[in-house]
Amino acid sequence: MNKKIAAVIGTGVIGNGWIIRLLAHGYEVKAFDPAEGAQNKTKQAIRDAWPSVTDLGLAPGADPEAVTFYDSMEEAVSGATLIQENVPERTDLKQSVLQEISEVAAPEAIIGSSTSGIKPSILQEGAVNPGRIIVAHPFNPVYLLPLVELVGGMNTEKPTMDQAFSLYEGIGMKPMIVDKEIEGHVADRLMEALWREALHIVNDGIATTEEVDKAITYGAGLRWAQMGPFLTFHLAGGDQGMRHMLEQFGPALKLPWTKLEAPELTDELKEKVIGGCEQHAGDVSIAELERKRNEFLVKLLDLVEDYWPEQKETRV
């Protein structure tokens, strides 16, 4: 059987997450990142994450050593059916890199950008065969969290999106095809709204960072992990579901319960947030927090699959 080949361009936290997920699903990965020490950082990231992906289950032929760094973009993308770009979130830089990739990639390859906010039509500008460039936005840690938002641009046709859906589903992801371009896509827009409100709560002295985290961890977060906000509110309406919920609580949407604009990120607010997080974490290192997070996510993913085994494609 021919080895599946993918290319990863840019090997920071997100790029390495893609590499680990691809390796765990039996791919040979070709990588390119001119940053000094990139290869060693990738090797360490694989060593740290491999126990977690092993717990989730490895594909036949999965090999943590099956990643090779190349000295040029052209060498890295040669032969790849899936190419994932992960350079810093600057429009001009991403356009330049994607244009270069498009000039040397196979014409049938899917070129996915991990951008968290830029529209695909903007990314496609100036590229060769621009319809092959799409947004494929993951969530950290990529090797564990299965959601990937797929967004096509003005030049992208449905068969390309279908091909992308199959490729990402083939590496254990839950692709969500977003039919309309919008800055920030879907999931980040939802998280950004919560993040802004959390900053206001801390800034106004209503609660500490630890208390805000507790409100999500032991309240909304537990419910959202299983159902998300809409089904959660559907249950809140009793036997009549969302119909009664909107009748009962709809008027509250007009009350000043939220502040949509982000607060000014003053030095004082920064110190409240930074100090609160450091105090909350205590003596636990970032590496230990990551290990605990990974163990938790593996168990949680297994639980979610037990309750929603039928969930496949999600379209927006």
Side-chain angles (χ1 to χ4, degrees):
M1 183 176 66
N2 293 332
K3 190 76 172 178
K4 298 174 290 187
I5 300 175
V8 173
I9 308 302
T11 59
V13 172
I14 299 300
N16 282 333
W18 280 114
I19 288 173
I20 295 160
R21 176 172 284 274
L22 288 160
L23 292 174
H25 284 83
Y27 271 75
E28 174 186 329
V29 180
K30 306 175 74 177
F32 175 76
D33 191 323
E36 184 177 353
Q39 188 167 350
N40 288 334
K41 289 180 180 177
T42 294
K43 289 180 178 179
Q44 185 61 52
I46 294 170
R47 284 194 292 268
D48 291 343
W50 205 252
S52 295
V53 294
T54 300
D55 288 342
L56 278 181
L58 301 174
D63 181 1
E65 303 289 334
V67 56
T68 305
F69 273 73
Y70 289 84
D71 294 329
S72 72
M73 191 93 71
E74 183 173 4
E75 289 178 295
V77 304
S78 176
T81 56
L82 177 62
I83 303 165
Q84 194 71 30
E85 169 272 311
N86 316 279
V87 301
E89 195 78 355
R90 295 197 343 247
T91 300
D92 58 343
L93 176 60
K94 283 188 176 289
Q95 285 177 329
S96 175
V97 170
L98 288 166
Q99 181 176 347
E100 185 177 351
I101 292 173
S102 72
E103 291 171 353
V104 293
E108 70 278 4
I110 291 292
I111 305 171
S113 173
S114 294
T115 177
S116 59
I118 305 171
K119 292 181 178 181
S121 290
I122 294 174
L123 297 174
Q124 293 174 347
E125 292 176 6
V128 176
N129 198 6
R132 309 299 293 182
I133 296 173
I134 67 170
V135 166
H137 174 230
F139 295 83
N140 184 45
V142 182
Y143 51 87
L144 293 182
L145 294 183
L147 180 64
V148 58
E149 296 177 308
L150 303 182
V151 196
M154 290 187 296
N155 296 292
T156 308
E157 298 182 354
K158 186 178 182 300
T160 299
M161 297 304 291
D162 291 341
Q163 179 189 356
F165 188 96
S166 296
L167 279 172
Y168 287 102
E169 191 176 49
I171 56 173
M173 305 205 82
K174 300 287 187 183
M176 182 176 90
I177 297 180
V178 183
D179 288 330
K180 186 175 181 179
E181 295 182 73
I182 187 172
E183 290 90 349
H185 322 312
V186 174
D188 271 359
R189 292 179 74 94
L190 296 170
M191 290 189 291
E192 181 73 10
L194 180 61
W195 175 234
R196 290 175 183 175
E197 191 64 24
L199 288 175
H200 274 295
I201 288 171
V202 171
N203 192 50
D204 295 344
I206 297 165
T208 66
T209 57
E210 182 176 0
E211 289 164 341
V212 170
D213 282 352
K214 184 181 290 185
I216 298 300
T217 300
Y218 298 108
L222 288 174
R223 299 185 301 183
W224 289 346
Q226 183 188 13
M227 293 186 175
F230 281 104
L231 274 185
T232 294
F233 282 135
H234 184 56
L235 290 180
D239 291 341
Q240 295 180 14
M242 183 62 79
R243 182 178 303 278
H244 178 68
M245 188 272 170
L246 291 177
E247 291 173 355
Q248 185 79 5
F249 297 103
L253 294 172
K254 295 295 185 180
L255 298 176
W257 283 5
T258 62
K259 298 180 179 182
L260 295 180
E261 295 293 330
E264 182 180 352
L265 199 57
T266 62
D267 290 342
E268 182 182 3
L269 177 54
K270 288 180 182 177
E271 288 308 312
K272 279 186 178 180
V273 173
I274 294 167
C277 290
E278 290 177 347
Q279 182 178 356
H280 188 187
D283 295 330
V284 183
S285 68
I286 294 295
E288 178 63 11
L289 286 174
E290 288 180 341
R291 187 191 65 78
K292 288 177 177 290
R293 176 203 63 190
N294 289 356
E295 287 183 0
F296 174 82
L297 287 175
V298 169
K299 293 178 181 178
L300 184 60
L301 284 167
D302 287 340
L303 186 61
V304 171
E305 290 293 331
D306 285 344
Y307 279 84
W308 294 106
E310 72 280 7
Q311 283 196 355
K312 294 294 182 183
E313 178 179 2
T314 303
R315 296 186 67 87
V316 175

